[in-house]
Structures are given as structure tokens and as C-alpha cells.
Amino acid sequence: MNNVLQMLLGKKGLPGLLILAFILLVVFPLTMDVDGLNLTGRFLAFAFVAVGLVLAWGYGGLLSLGQGLFFGIGGYAMAMYLKLEASTPEATAIQTTPGIPDFMDWNQITSLPWFWEPFQSLTFTVLAILTLPALFAAFIGFALFTRRVSGVFFAIITQAIVTIATILVIGQQGYTGGVNGITDLRTLKGWDINTDEALVVFYFATVVLLFAVIALGMWVLSTKYGRILMATRDQENRIRYSGYSVAYFKIFIFALAGFMSGIGGAMFTLQVGFMSPSIIGIIPSIEFVIFAAVGGRLSLLGAVYGSLLVGYARVTFAEAFPQLWLFLIGAVFIAVVMFAPYGLAGLYNTHVRPRVEAFLVRMGWRPDTPPSDTPHAIDPQAAQEARK
């Protein structure tokens, strides 16, 4: 028994992954109905963005207030494919121009725009979801990081970019659906996405993809690149003088965060059946940051818990106090920054894990490597540096 505990708890992040997997794959499916699973799946779609923010913000020092842009690119790409599948000539026979999305017909567009045509292919759509958010993030990163834009200036610029993107989406109503977005999504390769069976399948698919993204993040942090990234966050000039290209390290991690956000957007679209600019604007982008902050900006697993906790809190309090929700979420963010700068993960590492380890030691376990999904979560000196 002792050897088994050492093998499991000696692997960084494995205990936390197992616990989270048990909650998401066993506890929730057994205790929730289809609507509950669907709601949880939406929050888990947001968790993709929060995990990317942990990498970019917590480990890279890049506070982005515009991650809704990349979430929206993935979401709109999936919505475009689903809308085209629902807009067959037979299904749109009553339109002036059959065979195109209804909002295009309402805006007197008589043919499918050229940039919509590739999204008739599911293969192209999946490739677009995986590449376009990362490419946009890399382009933005190259434009900013090569000019050494960082800190609050970077945060403000990313917020401005997502604002511009939202205005463009709303303004180009004939091509994007405008303020209503792309709605009335029905099938995926002929499979009805609105049935209970489909919603359950999408929930489990979201969980599996989320674990893949977390594993990717853990792997990146365990490599030499991850160590240099953290050193860049803490001592950027020293790393630059050591001969490393700081800008390209930042571009990579920002693009990786965009890649993760795009997957989350696509899974969100599948689970809610629409995509609109209200989900990609400034407020959602700030909420994504709050998810990461509440869970712990140095914890990939904490980002998932933060997304779930804040998501459920929003549903609960927004129904009871709809006018006060934004004030409440702002108060939560301020409280986390002031009293728990490392979020739920920090509270766990400070107050819970020492007691768990003490209990295991009394049971005969001798830890070889302290269990954690983040190096800084167990290193007081590194955590102190991360606070700066």
C-alpha cells in the first residue's frame, strides 16, 4: 500500500487529476440530470479559456483581457458549419434565396459569401478551430511582444481588440448574424444535437478534451521551455541578456492559450446550440480571468474548479439578484486578490494538503516528491516571486 501511494502521490498533478476525473466522470453523471450535465458542460467549456490563462498569465505574466476573441473564433467556426448544415435548399425553401443561412436572406444577400464556403466541410471546420485562434493569437503576440509591450498596456490592448471584434461581428449582420449571432443549430452530420443523448455525449467529450488540454499544459510546464517561461515572467531582462528570445517565448504561450480557448468555444457552441457576440465581449473576457483567479492562477486544475464555482454562483445569484450580479463578481475578484492571491489552489496547499500529508505519514507513507500540479504551489520562495 505504501509503495502504491508513493507511486501515485509522487507524480506531480496525478492525485489532483484523479480526483477531478472522479468528480467529472462519476459523481456529476450519477447525481445530475441531463440539464445539469449540460449546464456543467458549458462551464467546463469556459474552463478551457481559464486553463490557457493560467499558462499565459500565471506562468507567463501575460494578463489578457481579450480571450473572448479566441473563444469566439472557435465557437463561430463550429456555428458556421452547423448553420450551413441546417440551411439546405429543402430546409430553406421558403426563403427568397434557398440554400443560405436565414439571416443572410433577411439582409438581402443572394449567395453564400466566399469565406463561408470552406465551412461546409467538417474536416476544414475542425482544422479551423484548432489553428485559427492560435494563428490570431500568434499574430497579435508578434505585433506586441516584438515591440516589448507588456504589463497593463498589454491587458488594455487585448481588451481593445476584443471590443473591436465584437463591434465588427455586430455590425456585419448579414455575414455573422449580428447581435443575435448564429442560432437555430440543429444537426451534426445528420445527428440531432439537441437531444438528451447528444447533450450527454457532448458533456463527456468536453471532459475528455479538457483533460487533454490540462495534460498538454502540464507537459509544457515540465519542459525546459516551461522553466524558461517562468524565469521570463520573474526576470525578463536577465533571460533576455542570457541570449533567449523573450518575445517568441511569449508568442508561443499566448498562441497556446488561444488554441485552448478555441476548443472551448467550439464545445460551447455544440452544447448551447448557438453562438453570439454577447459571449465573446469584454465582460465574458473579464469573467474568464476571474475563473482563473478564483481557481488559482498557478494551478491548471484550479482553473477548472474556479470555472465551476463561479459558473454555479453566477446562475444562483443572477437569478436571485440579477441587478447585483456584476457587483458581486467584482467583489469576489477583489477579495481573491486581497486575501487569497493563489485562489482555491493556494488555500488547499496552505490549509488542506499539509493535514492530508500528515495523516498519510501517520499511516506509514513517506512522500518522495511533493504532489502538486504546479511547481510554484509548493515552493514558498517561487510563490513569493510570483506574487510580485
Side-chain angles (χ1 to χ4, degrees):
M1 181 64 177
N2 184 55
N3 292 335
V4 174
L5 283 172
Q6 285 185 353
M7 179 183 67
L8 290 177
L9 296 178
K11 300 295 184 180
K12 292 184 178 181
L14 184 56
L17 280 173
L18 293 176
I19 294 172
L20 183 60
F22 180 75
I23 293 173
L24 297 182
L25 296 175
V26 179
V27 176
F28 283 173
L30 291 178
T31 58
M32 293 182 175
D33 57 14
V34 174
D35 291 337
L37 282 180
N38 180 243
L39 181 63
T40 303
R42 300 179 190 184
F43 300 151
L44 293 177
F46 295 150
F48 284 85
V49 189
V51 170
L53 276 168
V54 167
L55 293 173
W57 176 34
Y59 287 95
L62 307 174
L63 176 56
S64 171
L65 298 180
Q67 292 303 103
L69 170 63
F70 314 120
F71 186 85
I73 291 174
Y76 267 93
M78 178 58 72
M80 290 167 72
Y81 170 79
L82 296 176
K83 189 63 176 178
L84 289 176
E85 184 170 322
S87 302
T88 61
E90 296 77 15
T92 57
I94 62 173
Q95 295 180 180
T96 303
T97 306
I100 63 174
D102 47 14
F103 58 83
M104 293 184 184
D105 188 64
W106 300 337
N107 287 274
Q108 300 180 349
I109 294 177
T110 57
S111 62
L112 190 67
W114 64 269
F115 57 88
W116 271 75
E117 292 181 359
F119 289 94
Q120 298 179 86
S121 166
L122 180 59
T123 301
F124 177 87
T125 301
V126 172
L127 291 175
I129 291 168
L130 296 176
T131 58
L132 287 182
L135 289 175
F136 269 85
F139 174 78
I140 294 171
F142 181 84
L144 297 179
F145 300 140
T146 54
R147 291 166 175 78
R148 300 190 181 183
V149 176
S150 60
V152 66
F153 299 103
F154 173 76
I156 292 173
I157 291 175
T158 53
Q159 188 176 64
I161 290 174
V162 78
T163 302
I164 294 171
T166 304
I167 293 172
L168 287 175
V169 169
I170 294 175
Q172 299 299 315
Q173 181 172 320
Y175 300 106
T176 64
V179 68
N180 294 322
I182 301 177
T183 60
D184 196 24
L185 308 179
R186 305 170 185 172
T187 61
L188 175 65
K189 283 292 183 180
W191 182 43
D192 190 346
I193 64 173
N194 298 308
T195 63
D196 289 350
E197 177 190 5
L199 296 178
V200 172
V201 170
F202 290 146
Y203 169 81
F204 283 104
T206 302
V207 172
V208 171
L209 289 174
L210 181 59
F211 278 114
V213 164
I214 292 173
L216 174 61
M218 288 183 173
W219 176 78
V220 169
L221 293 177
S222 69
T223 63
K224 178 182 178 181
Y225 169 81
R227 294 189 292 273
I228 296 176
L229 178 68
M230 288 182 277
T232 300
R233 176 201 62 197
D234 298 333
Q235 297 291 338
E236 180 174 332
N237 289 332
R238 181 175 297 181
I239 296 302
R240 182 178 291 111
Y241 297 149
S242 297
Y244 290 100
S245 178
V246 171
Y248 289 102
F249 279 94
K250 291 183 177 181
I251 291 170
F252 172 80
I253 201 64
F254 190 53
L256 182 61
F259 164 79
M260 295 177 176
S261 301
I263 297 175
M267 297 311 300
F268 181 85
T269 297
L270 285 172
Q271 294 181 92
V272 301
F274 72 92
M275 176 53 69
S276 76
S278 64
I279 304 171
I280 67 174
I282 293 178
I283 293 178
S285 295
I286 294 176
E287 288 183 347
F288 293 146
V289 175
I290 294 175
F291 295 158
V294 170
R297 59 190 175 96
L298 293 175
S299 174
L300 298 173
L301 299 181
V304 181
Y305 290 108
S307 300
L308 292 173
L309 179 62
V310 178
Y312 283 120
R314 178 173 61 181
V315 171
T316 302
F317 287 102
E319 292 178 353
F321 310 102
Q323 302 299 325
L324 300 178
W325 164 244
L326 291 179
F327 295 98
L328 178 62
I329 198 171
V332 169
F333 184 65
I334 293 173
V336 168
V337 171
M338 292 181 62
F339 304 109
Y342 301 107
L344 296 175
L347 294 176
Y348 170 81
N349 288 320
T350 302
H351 301 289
V352 179
R353 196 184 65 199
R355 292 178 172 80
V356 173
E357 292 181 351
F359 171 77
L360 293 175
V361 168
R362 289 196 298 270
M363 298 296 293
W365 172 67
R366 294 293 183 271
D368 51 355
T369 303
S372 171
D373 70 305
T374 62
H376 281 182
I378 58 173
D379 186 343
Q381 182 179 357
Q384 183 65 29
E385 294 178 358
R387 189 190 297 268
K388 297 178 181 179

